């Protein structure tokens, strides 16, 4: 991405644009929505990139794909409507259609079987919907190469921009390696099964074995199937089916951890895979309409292995973690019930710990740091003014701008109340960029809806805070929260110490024997 062309107000927004940081960890096709959003920002004057440079970048991204018609449209946009299309592009287009026909013919037999619902249902019910059973039945005319061509055809469709077709074909391909739970038979059928021999019962027991439900019921996974799962996630994101994308995200995560735990992925490869997953997850979590996406995002980003990926490879993701914590803090607090204050404090404490490990800062991160660590309200106020610009020009956060600003004001109010017992409404309104009457109405709503222990003294024109005493329950939970982890750490350290003592003792005994022999 080129640098801003001049020192306009949009320069600040361009300085905080993370597109160049995120793009190395995205599939090429995922970059097109980001570039289209940048185009809209350029059109509105919100960012000072050059539109032709963005179009040229899009053209470069299209070269490795098979979206030749789209590439030709962008070429005309860059060089003019009447520009001569290069012969190289024409040759590429002819090659794409030729390869498409070859793959289509090479996988036709398996595609036909997939569309034959009756035959497929019979194979599934008889536990024969797998590569070995299908390829061993000569009547289908399907070989291992046919199935391999089917997957290549799915990927080719994806590269051509037909994400829906690619997704459907990948689902069929994955089903060959899956063992979903069998449907229960009718009572009459169960009685017939009981009359069958012991062999039938053993076969039934074998058929009841199912794969991992978090991984599309795959019975096992290798690096090849992991790539297929990545393809499934990519398709779900690009067709914007966020519910299915969340399922695919869990499947990829499960596969990565399974391969890492069985040493089929090296620690370094696993770290790279986790870094990619964190970036792809931004599409899923920030488009989750259920409201649970941000909470899931905080859980994933703060888990030990994925936090390591952030601190070592992608500190810029701290922006999204910070925004997510601020947006879901009150929601998580309400869900926690009586322990709401402790839950909110825990989220912020964990976030501050991550901030200390990451060498990254922007207005969103700085705003939280100024309030939670330094308690500098003036600096936080200046950063909050920049936050709105950063949010509105960020592809993932732009839809949350209004909600973020509301939660940010609540956050300012909460922190201001922690160090003041009585607060003048006029002064508070200035801190929140509101007039006195609007600030009073806003605080009344906050007290009513956020379980805030405070009251408004209209005569003196101030807010009087409650005692804010911590319940015994919260104190006990705070002190014992990490007790199990600490105890486990002590056990490990003690075991290590005892082993060292034993080794030292054995070493001394061996040395004594050797000296005695001489």
């Amino acid at each position: 991405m080129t640098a801003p062309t001049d020192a306009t107000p949009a320069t600040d927004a361009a300085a905080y644009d993370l597109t160049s940081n995120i793009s190395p960890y995205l599939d090429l096709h995922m970059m097109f929505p980001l570039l289209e959003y940048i185009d809209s920002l350029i059109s509105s004057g919100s960012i000072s990139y050059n539109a032709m440079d963005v179009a040229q970048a899009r053209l470069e991204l299209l070269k490795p794909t098979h979206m030749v018609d789209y590439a030709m449209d962008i070429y005309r946009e860059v060089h003019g409507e009447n520009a001569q299309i290069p012969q190289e592009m024409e040759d590429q287009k002819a090659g794409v259609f030729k390869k498409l026909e070859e793959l289509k013919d090479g996988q036709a037999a398996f595609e036909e079987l997939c569309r034959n619902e009756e035959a497929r249902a019979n194979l599934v019910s008889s536990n024969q919907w797998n590569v070995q059973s299908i390829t061993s039945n000569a009547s289908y005319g399907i070989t291992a190469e046919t199935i391999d061509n089917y997957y290549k055809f799915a990927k080719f469709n994806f590269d051509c921009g037909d994400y829906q077709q690619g997704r459907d074909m990948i689902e069929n391909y994955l089903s060959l390696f899956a063992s979903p739970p069998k449907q229960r038979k009718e009572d009459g059928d169960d009685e017939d099964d009981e009359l069958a021999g012991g062999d039938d019962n053993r076969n039934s027991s074998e058929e009841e074995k199912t794969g991992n439900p978090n991984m599309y019921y795959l019975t096992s996974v290798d690096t090849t199937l992991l790539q297929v799962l990545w393809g499934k996630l990519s398709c779900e994101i690009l067709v914007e089916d966020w519910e299915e994308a969340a399922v695919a995200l869990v499947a990829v995560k499960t596969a990565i951890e399974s391969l890492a735990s069985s040493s089929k992925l090296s620690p370094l490869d696993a770290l790279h895979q986790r870094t990619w997953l964190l970036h792809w997850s931004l599409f899923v979590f920030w488009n989750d309409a259920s409201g649970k996406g941000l909470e899931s995002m905080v859980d994933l980003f703060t888990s030990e292995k994925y936090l390591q990926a952030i601190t070592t490879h992608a500190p810029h993701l701290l922006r999204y973690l910070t925004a997510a914590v601020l947006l879901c803090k009150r929601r998580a607090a309400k869900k926690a019930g009586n322990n709401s204050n402790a839950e909110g404090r825990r989220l912020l404490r964990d976030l501050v710990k991550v901030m200390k490990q990451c060498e990254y800062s922007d207005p969103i991160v700085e705003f939280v740091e100024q309030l939670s660590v330094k308690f500098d309200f003036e600096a936080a106020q200046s950063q909050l003014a920049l936050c709105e610009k950063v949010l509105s020009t960020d592809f993932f956060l732009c839809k949350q701008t209004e909600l973020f600003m509301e939660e940010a004001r609540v956050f300012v109010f909460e922190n201001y109340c922690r160090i003041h017992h009585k607060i003048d409404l006029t002064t508070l309104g200035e801190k929140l960029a509101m007039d006195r009457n609007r600030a009073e109405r806003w605080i009344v709503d906050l007290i009513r809806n956020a379980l805030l222990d405070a009251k408004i003294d209209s005569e003196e024109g101030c807010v009087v805070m409650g005692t804010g005493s911590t319940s015994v329950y919260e104190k006990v939970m705070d002190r014992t929260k990490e007790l199990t982890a600490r105890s486990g750490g002590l056990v490990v350290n003690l075991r290590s110490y005892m082993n060292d003592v034993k080794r030292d003792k054995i070493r001394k005994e061996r040395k004594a024997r050797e000296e005695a022999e001489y």
Side-chain angles (χ1 to χ4, degrees), residues 331-343 451 473-474:
R331 189 187 311 155
K334 287 182 180 180
K335 188 181 295 185
N338 293 332
N339 200 31
S340 57
N341 292 333
E343 179 64 18
L451 304 176
Y473 175 76
E474 290 183 4

Side-chain angles (χ1 to χ4, degrees), residues 383-400:
Q383 293 298 326
L384 185 57
L386 291 172
C387 283
E388 189 165 8
K389 182 178 294 184
V390 174
L391 289 160
S392 61
T393 54
D394 188 290
F395 174 81
F396 298 104
L397 303 179
C398 59
K399 297 177 183 178
Q400 305 290 339

Side-chain angles (χ1 to χ4, degrees), residues 158-208:
F158 175 86
D159 285 333
C160 290
D162 191 350
Y163 309 125
Q164 182 69 54
Q165 177 71 9
R167 178 180 74 166
D168 295 343
M169 295 182 72
I170 287 176
E171 286 180 355
N172 289 332
Y173 183 80
L174 282 172
S175 67
L176 292 171
F177 306 90
S179 180
K182 306 300 179 184
Q183 293 182 351
R184 288 186 175 274
K185 298 180 179 181
E186 300 296 331
D187 293 340
D189 293 337
D190 289 340
E191 291 176 2
D192 292 340
D193 288 345
E194 290 176 2
L195 295 175
D199 291 340
D200 290 341
N201 289 333
R202 281 193 297 273
N203 291 336
S204 176
S205 176
E206 291 176 2
E207 290 179 2
E208 288 176 1

Side-chain angles (χ1 to χ4, degrees), residues 183-387:
Q183 293 182 351
R184 288 186 175 274
K185 298 180 179 181
E186 300 296 331
D187 293 340
D189 293 337
D190 289 340
E191 291 176 2
D192 292 340
D193 288 345
E194 290 176 2
L195 295 175
D199 291 340
D200 290 341
N201 289 333
R202 281 193 297 273
N203 291 336
S204 176
S205 176
E206 291 176 2
E207 290 179 2
E208 288 176 1
K209 294 179 181 178
T210 60
N212 191 330
N214 292 325
M215 206 165 56
Y216 297 109
Y217 292 101
L218 295 178
T219 54
S220 62
V221 67
D222 54 22
T223 53
T224 301
L225 279 179
L226 175 60
Q227 293 305 310
V228 179
L229 291 173
W230 276 110
K232 179 72 162 64
L233 174 57
S234 184
C235 288
E236 299 296 357
I237 289 173
L238 291 166
V239 299
E240 299 183 359
D241 188 340
W242 304 120
E243 187 174 341
E244 286 300 319
V247 176
L249 183 71
V250 172
V252 173
K253 178 178 179 292
T254 305
I256 291 172
E257 300 311 323
S258 174
L259 291 172
S261 63
S262 59
S263 299
K264 294 179 181 178
L265 271 182
S266 69
L268 184 59
D269 288 339
L271 183 63
H272 289 154
Q273 294 279 339
R274 294 184 187 111
T275 306
W276 278 72
L277 187 66
L278 287 168
H279 286 83
W280 289 32
S281 73
L282 295 175
F283 289 92
V284 182
F285 292 137
W286 289 102
N287 286 285
D288 189 332
S290 68
K292 298 178 181 179
L294 296 185
E295 295 173 23
S296 299
M297 175 181 168
V298 172
D299 290 339
L300 177 66
F301 277 47
T302 54
S303 60
E304 181 182 357
K305 294 176 181 177
Y306 288 83
L307 183 56
Q308 182 185 17
I310 293 174
T311 55
T312 57
H313 283 66
H316 53 272
L317 293 180
L318 182 60
R319 170 188 293 184
Y320 301 102
L321 175 60
T322 303
V325 168
L326 203 60
L327 287 169
C328 71
K329 182 170 69 72
R330 280 203 297 166
R331 189 187 311 155
K334 287 182 180 180
K335 188 181 295 185
N338 293 332
N339 200 31
S340 57
N341 292 333
E343 179 64 18
R345 288 196 298 271
R346 181 191 67 79
L347 285 173
L348 287 172
R349 277 200 307 269
D350 292 345
L351 177 61
V352 170
K353 289 178 184 177
V354 178
M355 287 180 176
K356 291 178 180 178
Q357 298 176 47
C358 291
E359 295 183 2
Y360 173 81
S361 184
D362 64 23
I364 296 174
V365 175
E366 191 67 22
F367 167 72
V368 174
E369 184 178 2
Q370 293 293 344
L371 281 182
S372 297
V373 180
K374 301 178 180 178
F375 292 97
D376 188 339
F377 292 92
E378 297 300 328
Q381 188 66 29
S382 64
Q383 293 298 326
L384 185 57
L386 291 172
C387 283

Side-chain angles (χ1 to χ4, degrees), residues 42-100:
I42 294 172
S43 301
S44 63
S46 300
I47 201 165
S48 55
Y49 290 136
N50 185 291
M52 285 297 102
D53 289 337
V54 175
Q56 186 62 46
R58 186 185 287 110
L59 189 60
E60 290 298 318
L61 287 172
L62 283 167
K63 285 183 179 180
T65 72
H66 302 317
M67 301 167 68
V68 188
D69 289 333
Y70 185 26
M72 289 180 175
D73 291 340
I74 300 301
Y75 184 87
R76 293 189 184 97
E77 181 182 329
V78 173
H79 297 91
E81 287 295 326
N82 298 321
Q84 179 77 25
I85 299 297
Q87 186 61 40
E88 179 186 356
M89 284 184 137
E90 297 288 359
D91 292 343
Q92 183 185 5
K93 184 175 182 179
V96 166
F97 280 105
K98 181 180 178 182
K99 185 67 174 178
L100 191 68

